[in-house]
């Protein structure tokens, strides 16, 4: 069955890869995005790769009028909700902006959905809701906590979604807790396009490999991990996008409402040095690095118990570290300016 779907934040990194798979699966896709951290060029490429049209509404989830108009003019079977701000350091410096955008924005979205009788939602949560995990691998029943305003915004949204379902069991709500999304579409046409200095490991490594940055700082070499560097569960964005299709299929097949949370990860831990070595092999470039002090707030290791996604959603990750590195490198090498070069070429024409 195919359905009309609203994707908030669909011009962004994960949203654009997900939009591509939804179109390929035959769904009709509308994207709502304020372009605060993305370019419309990502959606142009989604259309080219899928050969299908995508409807784009430039607007904000904190704007009730924009949402009311969108929901009154369209019927959506479900909302896939990516829109949000995601930089941890920025959230510490600007907590009000993060709570306004992420929490208040989600409230506005839920009110508009409720008014329109659209009560099926897939929400982008994060492994950050597990705080500093006491047990590995991390299962969905592990205690939740937050160590910064970004993480707290995800936790608050999960909790308000639980309250919403408890108040009205017609809601079908699935919180997907992503581990560390990396990689790019294998076409080399779509990928992660961070503004400024990347905070996350994979985009930083790929910028070092292409010569845009001199070297990687490895944050800490004295963790209680096999090689002393931080261990994470990296998941290919193409697998992650497929997890959203599986989540939608699951929710729409349920005879009754539900709130649940499911991890999306591979279940495997990868160290910073594993990542550097695999990236060097995949790209044929060297990635110089030096080990420096730990990054404040970092944890030693984090990886998923991915069994619930397998059992319930019939989903599991299929792509490994080699593909994550090779696809990231293809995107980086073919688009050294990210989506910006195409945008400026367009500007010159007009
Ligand atoms: P992204 O910044 O590339 O995409 C988010 C999109 O939302 C952007 O296109 C941005 O312009 C849009 N947006 C932000 N605020 C908006 C608003 N008020 N109204 C409309 N659009 C708005 O980020 P991403 O990496 O694709 O992440 C998508 C979601 O997944 C986010 O909610 C993020 O917190 C969550 N998440 C991401 C990661 C990760 O490592 N990338 C990990 C866990 C969870
Ligand atoms: C970060 C966020 C987390 C978010 C996740 C999404 C912080 C504190 N946490 O987590 O909330 O959900 O991204 O993917 O920002 N590293 C280096 N050098 C670098 C960058 C990273 O050594 O230049 C190391 C880190 O110490 C860590 C690993 O690489 O061990 C991964 O880091 P990163 O990509 O930032 O992800 P997380 O720390 O897991």
């Amino acid at each position: 069955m195919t359905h009309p779907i609203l994707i908030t934040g669909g011009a962004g990194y994960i949203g654009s890869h997900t939009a591509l798979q939804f179109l390929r699966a035959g769904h009709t896709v509308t994207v709502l995005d304020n372009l605060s951290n993305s370019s419309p060029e990502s959606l142009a490429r989604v259309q080219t790769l899928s050969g299908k049209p995508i409807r784009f509404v430039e607007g904000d989830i904190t704007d009730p009028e924009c949402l009311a108009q969108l929901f009154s003019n369209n019927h959506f079977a479900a909302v896939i909700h990516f829109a949000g701000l995601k930089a941890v350091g920025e959230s510490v410096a600007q907590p009000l902006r993060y709570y306004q955008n992420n929490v208040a924005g989600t409230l506005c979205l839920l009110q508009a959905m409720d008014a329109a009788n659209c009560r099926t939602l897939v929400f982008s949560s994060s492994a950050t809701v597990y705080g500093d995990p006491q047990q590995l691998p991390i299962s969905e029943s592990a205690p939740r906590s937050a160590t910064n305003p970004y993480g707290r915004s995800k936790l608050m949204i999960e909790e308000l979604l639980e309250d919403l379902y408890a108040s009205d069991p017609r809601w079908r709500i699935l919180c997907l807790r992503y581990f560390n999304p990396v990689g790019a579409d294998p076409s080399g046409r779509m990928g992660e396009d961070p503004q400024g200095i990347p905070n996350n490991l994979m985009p930083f490594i790929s910028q070092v490999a292409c010569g845009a940055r001199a070297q990687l700082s490895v944050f800490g070499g004295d963790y209680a991990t096999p090689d002393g560097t931080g261990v994470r569960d990296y998941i290919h964005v193409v697998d992650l996008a497929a997890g959203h299709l599986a989540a939608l299929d699951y929710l729409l097949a349920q005879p009754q409402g539900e709130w649940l949370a499911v991890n999306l990860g591979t279940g495997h831990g990868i160290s910073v040095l594993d990542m550097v070595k695999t990236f060097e092999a995949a790209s044929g470039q060297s990635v110089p690095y030096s080990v420096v002090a730990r990054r404040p707030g970092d944890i030693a290791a984090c990886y998923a118990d991915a069994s619930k996604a397998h059992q319930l959603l019939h989903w599991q990750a299929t792509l490994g570290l080699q593909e994550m590195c090779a696809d990231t490198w293809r995107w980086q090498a073919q688009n050294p300016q990210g989506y910006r070069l195409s945008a400026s070429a367009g500007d010159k024409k007009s």
Side-chain angles (χ1 to χ4, degrees), residues 13-129:
Y13 170 47
I14 306 169
S16 57
H17 287 81
T18 303
L20 177 61
Q21 291 198 26
F22 274 63
L23 287 172
R24 284 181 172 154
H27 297 297
T28 312
V29 174
T30 299
V31 164
L32 174 69
D33 200 302
N34 66 2
L35 302 179
S36 58
N37 195 37
S38 53
S39 154
E41 177 63 17
S42 65
L43 296 176
R45 296 193 186 184
V46 169
Q47 293 198 108
T48 309
L49 288 168
S50 65
K52 299 201 176 137
I54 195 165
R55 179 148 175 265
F56 174 53
V57 176
E58 185 172 345
D60 203 295
I61 56 162
T62 62
D63 178 351
E65 279 172 30
C66 163
L67 292 171
Q69 210 180 355
L70 183 61
F71 279 94
S72 67
N73 293 341
N74 300 275
H75 161 74
F76 297 115
V79 176
I80 316 294
H81 177 32
F82 294 101
L85 299 171
K86 62 166 184 177
V88 172
E90 199 178 62
S91 80
V92 175
Q94 303 172 23
L96 298 181
R97 183 170 162 236
Y98 270 66
Y99 291 125
Q100 169 65 18
N101 195 78
N102 293 4
V103 182
T106 300
L107 268 178
C108 277
L109 176 67
L110 295 169
Q111 282 160 348
M113 289 177 66
D114 200 36
N117 287 313
C118 171
R119 297 191 185 84
T120 301
L121 178 80
V122 178
F123 170 62
S124 296
S125 190
S126 166
T128 193
V129 301

Side-chain angles (χ1 to χ4, degrees), residues 53-228:
I54 195 165
R55 179 148 175 265
F56 174 53
V57 176
E58 185 172 345
D60 203 295
I61 56 162
T62 62
D63 178 351
E65 279 172 30
C66 163
L67 292 171
Q69 210 180 355
L70 183 61
F71 279 94
S72 67
N73 293 341
N74 300 275
H75 161 74
F76 297 115
V79 176
I80 316 294
H81 177 32
F82 294 101
L85 299 171
K86 62 166 184 177
V88 172
E90 199 178 62
S91 80
V92 175
Q94 303 172 23
L96 298 181
R97 183 170 162 236
Y98 270 66
Y99 291 125
Q100 169 65 18
N101 195 78
N102 293 4
V103 182
T106 300
L107 268 178
C108 277
L109 176 67
L110 295 169
Q111 282 160 348
M113 289 177 66
D114 200 36
N117 287 313
C118 171
R119 297 191 185 84
T120 301
L121 178 80
V122 178
F123 170 62
S124 296
S125 190
S126 166
T128 193
V129 301
Y130 296 120
D132 194 349
Q134 285 149 24
Q135 263 193 334
L136 293 170
I138 307 172
S139 83
E140 288 82 354
S141 56
R144 289 176 292 176
S145 65
T147 51
N148 55 67
Y150 165 72
R152 193 162 293 112
S153 77
K154 292 292 175 193
L155 191 48
M156 287 167 80
I157 294 167
E158 283 204 0
E159 286 173 339
L160 81 82
L161 291 171
E162 278 177 89
D163 288 344
L164 181 60
Y165 169 67
S167 75
D168 182 347
R170 289 176 298 176
W171 281 89
R172 299 152 199 252
I173 300 170
L174 212 167
C175 297
L176 291 175
R177 295 180 181 152
Y178 312 154
F179 279 66
N180 288 58
V182 296
D185 189 73
S187 65
R189 302 283 296 149
M190 292 167 55
E192 188 172 7
D193 185 15
Q195 314 294 311
I197 302 171
N199 296 311
N200 296 120
L201 179 65
M202 182 67 117
F204 203 102
I205 288 181
S206 71
Q207 291 193 5
V208 173
C210 78
R213 301 193 187 275
Q215 66 166 14
L216 170 73
S217 296
V218 175
F219 298 143
D222 56 352
Y223 285 110
T225 59
D227 65 17

